[in-house]
Amino acid sequence: MQNFLDQLSDAQKSATLSTDGPTLIIAGAGSGKTRVLTYRIAYLLSKGVAPWNILALTFTNKAAREMKERIAAIVGKERASRLWMGTFHSVFARILRVEAEKTGFPSNFTIYDSADSKSLIKSILNEMGIKEKEYKPATILSRISSAKNDLVLPVAYARDQKRLAADAASRVSKIYEIYSRYMKACVKAGAMDFDDLLLNTNLLFRDYPEVLAKYQQQFGYILVDEYQDTNFSQYLIIRKLAELHHNVCVVGDDAQSIYSFRGAKIENILNFRNDYPDYKLFKLEQNYRSTQTIVNAANSIISNNKGQIQKVVFSEKEKGEKIRVFQAYSDVEEGYLVVNDISAKKISDNSSYTDYAILYRTNAQSRIFEEAFRRNSIPYRIYGGLSFYQRKEIKDVLAYMRMAVNPKDGEALKRIINYPARGIGKTTIDRLEASAAHNDITIWEVLTHPALATIGFNSGTVRKLGEFTRMIREFVAKSPDLDAFKMTTEIVARSGILKELHLDSSVEGRTRIENVDELLNGVREFADERREAGEADSLAHFLEEVSLLTDHDSDNDEEVERVTLMTIHSAKGLEFPYVYIVGVEEGTFPSPMSGGSPQSLEEERRLFYVAVTRAEQSVTISYAKSRFKNGEHNFVNPSRFLRDIDKKYITTVDTGLFAGQTKDRWTAPKEKPRFDFSKLAEEPKPRFQRTPAPKPRVVGELFDEEQLSGSDRVKLGTLVEHERFGRGEVIALEGQPPNVKAHVSFENAGTKQLLLKFAKLKILN
């Protein structure tokens, strides 16, 4: 027993040994909270507490498994195996099976995942004669889940004026009826979804006091991990179970409460002292993960939040380097800048690609970095998600684009013939396939054959197929004459995809819209870049480039070194030596969905705090001065969160042309200490404005042969600026006016060939 306790710091040991009474352990980032929880349980077992008298609740199976393995190493596998330890859902599913006769469900009830729930919702909508495009299953499930986590049953939902008003505003006023039918269907099927496991446990304890008393008596000690992430339903179960013995220990960090969109209530941890006035408070304030500079910078960030439990996290590791801040001219340059820096840092620090993580606020931001990594042949992985071009909504749009170029593409056709839903069912598609196979032709040739009606379709089906065929024919006809961006914009609008996506107001629905917007941004960048280079910018050429990206040889060997890309939400609980936090701009981070409310902004700031504290050795923050949104360049400002960092802990990196320039290549960026973010303008400045001095000459505006002669001619060695690629140097010129092509070596984006009449370069010298 003494051996494992000796591995604890004084603060950790105090929190471990104080086992009786309500206990709140506030554990800062990297402070060893898992070790304290583990050793606290091991200590209870060593004192003679029976394992079945200990209830330990976590949020992931991985956390529960790792804790149980550590405990088993101390007290033995047999004793550890008899602990009531697991996720909220797994533990309470176990109780519900034991008490099944009182719940109205069989003991072998099925647990529905989200796909099962959506399928059931679709069946209910069909029964009610409601179209899916009007009531998106994901939106319905999101609202039902919110109600269940607030313990609002269908009858109460129908009387809840606030919820009804919100439904009416979103034109889904029948959700309360769908909710009622959904609950009845689950009971009939002997099935519960994940939210039901918590809801029905609360109902069980409410309706059967003797059952509650039995578990209150059994669980003499209750321990809860990540308490700041509990919702109301979980909070109430814990509160009820702890009423008898009061030996409840919760561990968490209010500064890392970032899941309100899932129903988490930060008030649960902030109000613990009100629920248990005789509580004991322990603070784990030493960070064992990060350098002193990173910890101090993170403290300066979170100190701006009012709703928090005060603590001073510190580190006794080395002081470490300052947090670096990169400014890019555009989101495109930001991608190249970060990827180039990772490549250089890997060599200079003799590190591995697996040591690096890029963190972003939304999934859609991964595209630019994925493409930069691929073009530099650097391996990467998307953690907890799909690569950008593998996401469903992106593959749907790409399928339409493929049809516009090649309507005989059978796989693309089958993917989108009934998306968005246009009443063309599986039976119809099967008949089309059978007819194509029988006549040895493609499905498209069947659709365009005059004898389509003879296959056996009724007039309604023939009409729907005809409408789809006419739309694709129009796309095919326009595709050769429009650039990739204009064609894709027409496809997304005319096909109904955007309208379909906007019907889903859930978090997942908004993410899908962001992804499609980002695809449009990518197509716009492609078209602009190709036009400037004097190369073909058609949809066919875009699809060829994308196919090379999506079909890139991807080595699935887990031992291959890879840079990790992920959202900040996915990064919680993880750590990396080198962390890059990208897109730190107003309108991106904090998220525009925060609405500017104080509570939402504080959660966004906590998310920023989480991002910074993932790093062990180095943090790099980047932002762009302009970003593609909705297919257009938009001026953006650095995030207000950058001003939260005490300036003594940051250094800005001059990523400009004059930082370490040599004649033949660019060298490492030059650091400038103590950039004061408090001086950042709140309003956007004109793009690339440097001084009030004479306006830079623009090459490409009203470009003609006369401009190319004389003093305005672009020469070898001319320093220029491009709105996407940033600053660079002209290293070669070819061709005759007005089709002069410049080879420009950009600092971060490499060498590009640009037609001067389209490129709109700004001359800097």
Side-chain angles (χ1 to χ4, degrees), residues 596-616:
S597 73
Q599 295 83 2
S600 296
L601 284 174
E602 290 210 348
E603 176 153 334
E604 289 287 300
R605 184 176 285 111
R606 293 194 293 270
L607 190 60
F608 188 46
Y609 172 86
V610 166
V612 170
T613 55
R614 298 310 92 199
E616 298 171 354

Side-chain angles (χ1 to χ4, degrees), residues 397-410:
V397 178
L398 289 174
Y400 271 102
M401 295 161 75
R402 286 160 54 188
M403 286 292 291
V405 171
N406 174 23
K408 293 183 179 181
D409 185 334

Side-chain angles (χ1 to χ4, degrees), residues 482-493:
L482 298 178
D483 68 34
F485 176 66
K486 291 177 181 177
M487 191 65 236
T488 305
T489 302
E490 171 139 346
I491 286 171
V492 169

